[in-house]
Amino acid sequence: MKKIFLLFTVVFLISCAELQNVINELPQTSGLSNEDMAAGLRQALDLGIDKQVTKLTQKNGFYKNELVKILLPEELQKVDDALRKVGLSSLADEGIKALNRAAEDAVKEATPIFVNAVKDITFNDAKNILLGEDNAATEYLTSKTQTQLYDKFKPVISNSFGKVGADQIWNNLITKYNNLPLTNNVNPDLTDYVTTEALKGVYTMIAIEEKEIRTKVSSRTTDLLKKVFALQD
């Protein structure tokens, strides 16, 4: 009987220790309500969208930003190299610039979709995000918006190719390449490629702002941000 009692005591103590570890991992709310925590995460994401994603919609928002600049897909690197070798570097540069211009145009469609996704953050979402990595909020936003944004971006980028002249530039560029001797003709799906790269750029910029807020107290520009993110310091 003593052995059974001792066994139950040990199991109970182990269970208590494990429970305490779980409790220790949870942020101490310091008087913050569940809604405050969720609101703090919403505010952080709203700030990232407003501050960082808006930059991408400006002229050269992609093209002059080395973190997100859209370069040529692998299958077109040979096109770029070949054109530069025959003195058509300016045309190759214009081709890259046109891809980035289309992305800059498309990102303007992202904000309403992000705003709706941010509104849906719950306390449980907020708790998991606060306990997560430096990009946990961005990963949450990615999971909620990526498919919808792709569907929204793709037709916009397709239209943007005409709007910013990318279609003519690339038709000219690829035609010149395909007419070079000893080359295999190429006809890449640039709309899909630029759409995917534009999405990567958007999430990259949001992640930068999230990390700033998590790691720099000076980036927490409201009382709510200071209180909520103090829980994960």
Side-chain angles (χ1 to χ4, degrees):
M1 188 67 179
K2 287 182 179 180
K3 290 182 179 180
I4 295 175
F5 176 79
L6 181 60
L7 178 60
F8 274 108
T9 301
V10 171
V11 171
F12 175 77
L13 290 174
I14 291 172
S15 299
C16 286
E18 290 176 347
L19 180 60
Q20 188 61 48
N21 287 336
V22 172
I23 291 171
N24 289 339
E25 287 181 359
L26 292 174
Q28 302 303 305
T29 58
S30 301
L32 286 173
S33 69
N34 291 355
E35 181 52 36
D36 284 337
M37 288 184 65
L41 265 296
R42 292 188 202 108
Q43 199 170 93
L45 283 171
D46 282 338
L47 186 61
I49 292 163
D50 182 60
K51 185 176 177 182
Q52 299 292 350
V53 177
T54 302
K55 291 179 183 178
L56 298 178
T57 68
Q58 308 301 314
K59 185 177 181 180
N60 292 323
F62 273 86
Y63 187 64
K64 292 288 182 72
N65 184 339
E66 293 302 319
L67 287 174
V68 297
K69 182 178 180 179
I70 299 175
L71 302 176
L72 295 180
E74 186 176 345
E75 65 269 27
L76 286 184
Q77 291 293 338
K78 59 184 179 182
V79 177
D80 185 82
D81 293 341
L83 292 176
R84 294 182 191 280
K85 285 177 182 177
V86 296
L88 294 174
S89 295
S90 61
L91 181 61
D93 290 338
E94 282 302 308
I96 294 174
K97 185 184 292 184
L99 299 185
N100 286 273
R101 290 284 182 267
E104 290 156 11
D105 196 43
V107 171
K108 295 171 185 175
E109 303 292 322
T111 300
I113 294 172
F114 281 139
V115 169
N116 287 333
V118 170
K119 285 178 182 177
D120 291 336
I121 290 179
T122 66
F123 166 68
N124 283 334
D125 294 327
K127 183 176 65 176
N128 291 333
I129 290 168
L130 280 173
L131 291 173
E133 301 296 328
D134 283 349
N135 66 340
T138 306
E139 289 295 317
Y140 168 85
L141 201 58
T142 302
S143 70
K144 296 292 183 180
T145 63
Q146 191 167 32
T147 299
Q148 191 178 0
L149 278 180
Y150 181 92
D151 292 341
K152 189 77 171 179
F153 274 24
K154 193 169 183 178
V156 174
I157 284 175
S158 181
N159 290 333
S160 293
F161 279 166
K163 186 174 168 183
V164 303
D167 52 353
Q168 294 179 352
I169 291 170
W170 272 93
N171 283 338
N172 185 24
L173 190 151
I174 289 174
T175 297
K176 286 187 180 296
Y177 172 78
N178 286 342
N179 286 335
L180 292 175
L182 304 177
T183 60
N184 295 319
N185 287 3
V186 296
N187 186 26
D189 184 354
L190 286 175
T191 302
D192 173 74
Y193 174 73
V194 174
T195 300
T196 301
E197 292 301 301
L199 284 174
K200 289 179 184 176
V202 167
Y203 295 124
T204 293
M205 296 308 293
I206 293 175
I208 287 172
E209 187 63 25
E210 179 185 356
K211 187 173 181 179
E212 284 281 308
I213 292 172
R214 283 184 181 273
T215 58
K216 294 182 181 179
V217 175
S218 59
S219 295
R220 301 168 191 173
T221 53
T222 69
D223 288 340
L224 183 58
L225 286 176
K226 291 172 184 175
K227 290 177 182 177
V228 169
F229 281 90
L231 303 177
Q232 53 101 69
D233 288 340

